Short mmCIF file of all heavy atoms in Angstrom, two decimals:
data_model
loop_
_atom_site.label_atom_id
_atom_site.label_comp_id
_atom_site.label_asym_id
_atom_site.label_seq_id
_atom_site.Cartn_x
_atom_site.Cartn_y
_atom_site.Cartn_z
N TYR A 462 4.97 -0.14 184.73
CA TYR A 462 4.49 -0.50 186.06
C TYR A 462 3.25 0.31 186.42
O TYR A 462 2.23 -0.25 186.84
CB TYR A 462 5.58 -0.28 187.11
CG TYR A 462 5.03 -0.45 188.51
CD1 TYR A 462 4.93 -1.70 189.08
CD2 TYR A 462 4.56 0.65 189.24
CE1 TYR A 462 4.38 -1.89 190.35
CE2 TYR A 462 4.00 0.48 190.50
CZ TYR A 462 3.92 -0.78 191.05
OH TYR A 462 3.35 -0.95 192.28
N TYR A 463 3.34 1.63 186.30
CA TYR A 463 2.23 2.48 186.74
C TYR A 463 0.99 2.31 185.87
O TYR A 463 -0.14 2.34 186.38
CB TYR A 463 2.68 3.95 186.77
CG TYR A 463 3.71 4.21 187.84
CD1 TYR A 463 5.06 4.34 187.53
CD2 TYR A 463 3.33 4.27 189.18
CE1 TYR A 463 6.00 4.56 188.52
CE2 TYR A 463 4.26 4.49 190.18
CZ TYR A 463 5.60 4.63 189.84
OH TYR A 463 6.53 4.82 190.83
N ARG A 464 1.19 2.11 184.57
CA ARG A 464 0.04 1.93 183.70
C ARG A 464 -0.69 0.62 184.01
O ARG A 464 -1.92 0.56 184.05
CB ARG A 464 0.48 1.94 182.22
CG ARG A 464 1.14 3.23 181.76
CD ARG A 464 0.19 4.42 181.88
NE ARG A 464 -1.09 4.17 181.25
CZ ARG A 464 -1.30 4.26 179.94
NH1 ARG A 464 -0.32 4.61 179.13
NH2 ARG A 464 -2.51 4.03 179.44
N VAL A 465 0.09 -0.44 184.22
CA VAL A 465 -0.52 -1.75 184.54
C VAL A 465 -1.09 -1.74 185.95
O VAL A 465 -2.18 -2.26 186.20
CB VAL A 465 0.51 -2.88 184.35
CG1 VAL A 465 -0.10 -4.23 184.79
CG2 VAL A 465 0.97 -2.96 182.90
N ALA A 466 -0.37 -1.10 186.88
CA ALA A 466 -0.84 -1.06 188.27
C ALA A 466 -2.20 -0.37 188.37
O ALA A 466 -3.08 -0.82 189.12
CB ALA A 466 0.18 -0.35 189.16
N GLU A 467 -2.39 0.72 187.61
CA GLU A 467 -3.66 1.42 187.71
C GLU A 467 -4.81 0.55 187.19
O GLU A 467 -5.94 0.62 187.69
CB GLU A 467 -3.61 2.77 186.99
CG GLU A 467 -3.43 2.73 185.50
CD GLU A 467 -3.30 4.13 184.90
OE1 GLU A 467 -3.35 5.13 185.67
OE2 GLU A 467 -3.15 4.23 183.66
N ILE A 468 -4.54 -0.31 186.20
CA ILE A 468 -5.58 -1.24 185.72
C ILE A 468 -5.95 -2.22 186.82
O ILE A 468 -7.14 -2.46 187.09
CB ILE A 468 -5.10 -1.99 184.47
CG1 ILE A 468 -5.00 -1.02 183.28
CG2 ILE A 468 -6.06 -3.13 184.12
CD1 ILE A 468 -4.46 -1.64 182.01
N TYR A 469 -4.94 -2.78 187.49
CA TYR A 469 -5.22 -3.74 188.57
C TYR A 469 -5.99 -3.06 189.70
O TYR A 469 -6.87 -3.67 190.33
CB TYR A 469 -3.93 -4.35 189.09
CG TYR A 469 -3.26 -5.29 188.12
CD1 TYR A 469 -1.88 -5.44 188.09
CD2 TYR A 469 -4.01 -6.04 187.22
CE1 TYR A 469 -1.25 -6.31 187.20
CE2 TYR A 469 -3.40 -6.92 186.33
CZ TYR A 469 -2.01 -7.04 186.32
OH TYR A 469 -1.41 -7.89 185.44
N ILE A 470 -5.68 -1.79 189.96
CA ILE A 470 -6.39 -1.05 191.01
C ILE A 470 -7.85 -0.83 190.61
O ILE A 470 -8.76 -1.04 191.40
CB ILE A 470 -5.67 0.28 191.30
CG1 ILE A 470 -4.33 0.02 191.99
CG2 ILE A 470 -6.55 1.19 192.17
CD1 ILE A 470 -3.41 1.22 192.05
N TRP A 471 -8.06 -0.40 189.36
CA TRP A 471 -9.44 -0.19 188.90
C TRP A 471 -10.25 -1.48 188.93
O TRP A 471 -11.44 -1.47 189.23
CB TRP A 471 -9.44 0.38 187.48
CG TRP A 471 -8.86 1.76 187.38
CD1 TRP A 471 -8.88 2.73 188.35
CD2 TRP A 471 -8.18 2.33 186.26
NE1 TRP A 471 -8.25 3.86 187.91
CE2 TRP A 471 -7.80 3.66 186.63
CE3 TRP A 471 -7.84 1.88 185.00
CZ2 TRP A 471 -7.12 4.51 185.77
CZ3 TRP A 471 -7.16 2.72 184.14
CH2 TRP A 471 -6.80 4.03 184.52
N GLU A 472 -9.58 -2.59 188.62
CA GLU A 472 -10.27 -3.89 188.60
C GLU A 472 -10.26 -4.58 189.96
O GLU A 472 -10.83 -5.66 190.11
CB GLU A 472 -9.62 -4.80 187.56
CG GLU A 472 -9.76 -4.32 186.13
CD GLU A 472 -11.21 -4.25 185.65
OE1 GLU A 472 -12.01 -5.12 186.06
OE2 GLU A 472 -11.54 -3.31 184.89
N LYS A 473 -9.58 -3.95 190.95
CA LYS A 473 -9.46 -4.50 192.31
C LYS A 473 -8.85 -5.90 192.29
O LYS A 473 -9.23 -6.79 193.05
CB LYS A 473 -10.83 -4.52 193.01
CG LYS A 473 -11.41 -3.12 193.16
CD LYS A 473 -12.72 -3.13 193.92
CE LYS A 473 -13.25 -1.69 194.05
NZ LYS A 473 -14.54 -1.64 194.78
N GLU A 474 -7.85 -6.05 191.45
CA GLU A 474 -7.09 -7.30 191.34
C GLU A 474 -5.86 -7.18 192.24
O GLU A 474 -4.74 -6.97 191.79
CB GLU A 474 -6.68 -7.54 189.89
CG GLU A 474 -7.83 -7.73 188.93
CD GLU A 474 -8.32 -9.18 188.91
OE1 GLU A 474 -7.82 -9.99 189.72
OE2 GLU A 474 -9.18 -9.49 188.09
N TRP A 475 -6.07 -7.34 193.55
CA TRP A 475 -5.01 -7.06 194.52
C TRP A 475 -3.86 -8.07 194.44
O TRP A 475 -2.70 -7.69 194.61
CB TRP A 475 -5.57 -6.99 195.93
CG TRP A 475 -6.75 -6.09 196.07
CD1 TRP A 475 -7.94 -6.37 196.65
CD2 TRP A 475 -6.86 -4.73 195.60
NE1 TRP A 475 -8.79 -5.29 196.58
CE2 TRP A 475 -8.16 -4.27 195.94
CE3 TRP A 475 -6.01 -3.87 194.91
CZ2 TRP A 475 -8.60 -2.99 195.62
CZ3 TRP A 475 -6.46 -2.60 194.59
CH2 TRP A 475 -7.74 -2.16 194.95
N ASP A 476 -4.17 -9.33 194.18
CA ASP A 476 -3.11 -10.34 194.06
C ASP A 476 -2.18 -10.00 192.89
O ASP A 476 -0.96 -10.09 192.99
CB ASP A 476 -3.70 -11.73 193.86
CG ASP A 476 -4.42 -12.23 195.11
OD1 ASP A 476 -4.21 -11.63 196.19
OD2 ASP A 476 -5.18 -13.21 195.02
N LYS A 477 -2.79 -9.60 191.77
CA LYS A 477 -1.98 -9.26 190.60
C LYS A 477 -1.17 -7.99 190.85
O LYS A 477 -0.02 -7.87 190.40
CB LYS A 477 -2.89 -9.07 189.38
CG LYS A 477 -3.52 -10.37 188.89
CD LYS A 477 -4.39 -10.13 187.67
CE LYS A 477 -5.03 -11.44 187.18
NZ LYS A 477 -5.90 -11.22 186.01
N LEU A 478 -1.76 -7.05 191.56
CA LEU A 478 -1.02 -5.83 191.90
C LEU A 478 0.18 -6.16 192.77
O LEU A 478 1.28 -5.64 192.56
CB LEU A 478 -1.94 -4.84 192.63
CG LEU A 478 -1.29 -3.53 193.10
CD1 LEU A 478 -0.76 -2.73 191.92
CD2 LEU A 478 -2.28 -2.69 193.89
N PHE A 479 0.00 -7.06 193.74
CA PHE A 479 1.11 -7.44 194.62
C PHE A 479 2.21 -8.14 193.82
O PHE A 479 3.40 -7.85 194.02
CB PHE A 479 0.61 -8.35 195.74
CG PHE A 479 1.72 -8.88 196.60
CD1 PHE A 479 2.42 -8.03 197.44
CD2 PHE A 479 2.08 -10.22 196.56
CE1 PHE A 479 3.46 -8.50 198.23
CE2 PHE A 479 3.12 -10.70 197.34
CZ PHE A 479 3.80 -9.84 198.18
N ARG A 480 1.84 -9.04 192.94
CA ARG A 480 2.86 -9.76 192.15
C ARG A 480 3.61 -8.79 191.24
O ARG A 480 4.82 -8.92 191.03
CB ARG A 480 2.20 -10.88 191.34
CG ARG A 480 1.74 -12.06 192.19
CD ARG A 480 1.48 -13.29 191.36
NE ARG A 480 0.37 -13.13 190.44
CZ ARG A 480 -0.90 -13.36 190.75
NH1 ARG A 480 -1.22 -13.76 191.99
NH2 ARG A 480 -1.86 -13.20 189.86
N LEU A 481 2.89 -7.81 190.70
CA LEU A 481 3.55 -6.79 189.88
C LEU A 481 4.55 -5.99 190.71
O LEU A 481 5.68 -5.72 190.27
CB LEU A 481 2.49 -5.85 189.28
CG LEU A 481 3.01 -4.70 188.41
CD1 LEU A 481 3.57 -5.25 187.10
CD2 LEU A 481 1.88 -3.70 188.12
N LEU A 482 4.15 -5.62 191.92
CA LEU A 482 5.04 -4.87 192.82
C LEU A 482 6.26 -5.70 193.19
O LEU A 482 7.38 -5.17 193.28
CB LEU A 482 4.27 -4.46 194.07
CG LEU A 482 5.02 -3.65 195.12
CD1 LEU A 482 5.45 -2.31 194.55
CD2 LEU A 482 4.14 -3.44 196.36
N GLN A 483 6.07 -6.99 193.41
CA GLN A 483 7.19 -7.87 193.77
C GLN A 483 8.28 -7.87 192.71
O GLN A 483 9.47 -7.99 193.01
CB GLN A 483 6.68 -9.31 193.96
CG GLN A 483 6.17 -9.63 195.36
CD GLN A 483 5.84 -11.09 195.50
OE1 GLN A 483 5.20 -11.69 194.63
NE2 GLN A 483 6.29 -11.69 196.59
N LYS A 484 7.87 -7.75 191.44
CA LYS A 484 8.83 -7.83 190.35
C LYS A 484 9.75 -6.61 190.31
O LYS A 484 10.92 -6.72 189.90
CB LYS A 484 8.09 -7.94 189.01
CG LYS A 484 7.38 -9.28 188.81
CD LYS A 484 6.64 -9.28 187.48
CE LYS A 484 5.85 -10.57 187.29
NZ LYS A 484 5.06 -10.55 186.02
N SER A 485 9.25 -5.45 190.70
CA SER A 485 10.06 -4.22 190.61
C SER A 485 9.71 -3.27 191.74
O SER A 485 9.12 -2.21 191.52
CB SER A 485 9.85 -3.55 189.26
OG SER A 485 8.47 -3.35 189.03
N PRO A 486 10.03 -3.64 192.97
CA PRO A 486 9.68 -2.77 194.10
C PRO A 486 10.61 -1.56 194.20
O PRO A 486 11.79 -1.64 193.86
CB PRO A 486 9.86 -3.70 195.32
CG PRO A 486 10.94 -4.66 194.89
CD PRO A 486 10.73 -4.87 193.40
N ASP A 487 10.07 -0.44 194.61
CA ASP A 487 10.88 0.68 195.08
C ASP A 487 10.08 1.38 196.16
O ASP A 487 8.90 1.07 196.37
CB ASP A 487 11.30 1.62 193.94
CG ASP A 487 10.16 2.41 193.31
OD1 ASP A 487 9.15 2.65 194.00
OD2 ASP A 487 10.28 2.78 192.14
N PHE A 488 10.72 2.30 196.87
CA PHE A 488 10.08 2.92 198.04
C PHE A 488 8.74 3.54 197.68
O PHE A 488 7.73 3.33 198.34
CB PHE A 488 11.00 3.99 198.64
CG PHE A 488 12.20 3.44 199.36
CD1 PHE A 488 13.47 3.88 199.04
CD2 PHE A 488 12.04 2.50 200.36
CE1 PHE A 488 14.59 3.38 199.71
CE2 PHE A 488 13.15 2.00 201.04
CZ PHE A 488 14.42 2.43 200.71
N HIS A 489 8.74 4.34 196.62
CA HIS A 489 7.52 5.08 196.27
C HIS A 489 6.40 4.13 195.85
O HIS A 489 5.24 4.33 196.23
CB HIS A 489 7.82 6.07 195.14
CG HIS A 489 6.63 6.89 194.74
ND1 HIS A 489 6.07 7.83 195.56
CD2 HIS A 489 5.87 6.86 193.61
CE1 HIS A 489 5.04 8.38 194.96
NE2 HIS A 489 4.89 7.81 193.78
N ARG A 490 6.74 3.10 195.09
CA ARG A 490 5.71 2.17 194.64
C ARG A 490 5.07 1.43 195.81
O ARG A 490 3.85 1.24 195.85
CB ARG A 490 6.32 1.17 193.65
CG ARG A 490 6.69 1.79 192.32
CD ARG A 490 7.37 0.78 191.42
NE ARG A 490 7.79 1.40 190.16
CZ ARG A 490 8.47 0.79 189.21
NH1 ARG A 490 8.84 -0.49 189.38
NH2 ARG A 490 8.81 1.42 188.10
N ILE A 491 5.90 1.02 196.76
CA ILE A 491 5.34 0.32 197.93
C ILE A 491 4.44 1.26 198.72
O ILE A 491 3.34 0.88 199.14
CB ILE A 491 6.48 -0.22 198.83
CG1 ILE A 491 7.36 -1.19 198.05
CG2 ILE A 491 5.90 -0.91 200.06
CD1 ILE A 491 8.63 -1.59 198.79
N GLU A 492 4.90 2.49 198.92
CA GLU A 492 4.11 3.46 199.66
C GLU A 492 2.76 3.70 198.98
O GLU A 492 1.72 3.76 199.65
CB GLU A 492 4.89 4.77 199.76
CG GLU A 492 4.22 5.83 200.61
CD GLU A 492 5.06 7.08 200.75
OE1 GLU A 492 6.22 7.09 200.30
OE2 GLU A 492 4.54 8.07 201.31
N GLU A 493 2.77 3.82 197.65
CA GLU A 493 1.52 4.01 196.91
C GLU A 493 0.61 2.80 197.02
O GLU A 493 -0.62 2.93 197.03
CB GLU A 493 1.84 4.30 195.44
CG GLU A 493 2.42 5.67 195.18
CD GLU A 493 1.39 6.77 195.41
OE1 GLU A 493 0.32 6.74 194.79
OE2 GLU A 493 1.66 7.65 196.25
N ALA A 494 1.19 1.62 197.07
CA ALA A 494 0.39 0.39 197.08
C ALA A 494 -0.15 0.05 198.47
O ALA A 494 -1.05 -0.79 198.59
CB ALA A 494 1.23 -0.79 196.57
N GLU A 495 0.39 0.68 199.51
CA GLU A 495 -0.02 0.35 200.88
C GLU A 495 -1.53 0.42 201.07
O GLU A 495 -2.14 -0.44 201.69
CB GLU A 495 0.66 1.29 201.88
CG GLU A 495 2.04 0.87 202.29
CD GLU A 495 2.58 1.79 203.38
OE1 GLU A 495 1.79 2.15 204.28
OE2 GLU A 495 3.77 2.14 203.33
N LYS A 496 -2.14 1.47 200.53
CA LYS A 496 -3.57 1.67 200.78
C LYS A 496 -4.42 0.54 200.22
O LYS A 496 -5.55 0.34 200.66
CB LYS A 496 -4.03 3.01 200.20
CG LYS A 496 -3.89 3.15 198.69
CD LYS A 496 -4.43 4.49 198.21
CE LYS A 496 -3.45 5.58 198.52
NZ LYS A 496 -2.83 6.21 197.40
#
Side-chain angles (χ1 to χ4, degrees):
Y462 172 84
Y463 291 103
R464 299 298 308 280
V465 176
E467 65 183 1
I468 291 177
Y469 290 149
I470 291 167
W471 294 331
E472 295 297 325
K473 299 183 179 180
E474 297 276 5
W475 309 130
D476 291 346
K477 291 181 180 179
L478 178 62
F479 175 69
R480 288 197 295 273
L481 179 69
L482 181 63
Q483 273 186 314
K484 291 178 183 177
S485 53
D487 69 27
F488 288 127
H489 181 68
R490 290 176 183 176
I491 301 170
E492 185 177 353
E493 287 291 303
E495 276 186 40
K496 63 177 77 113

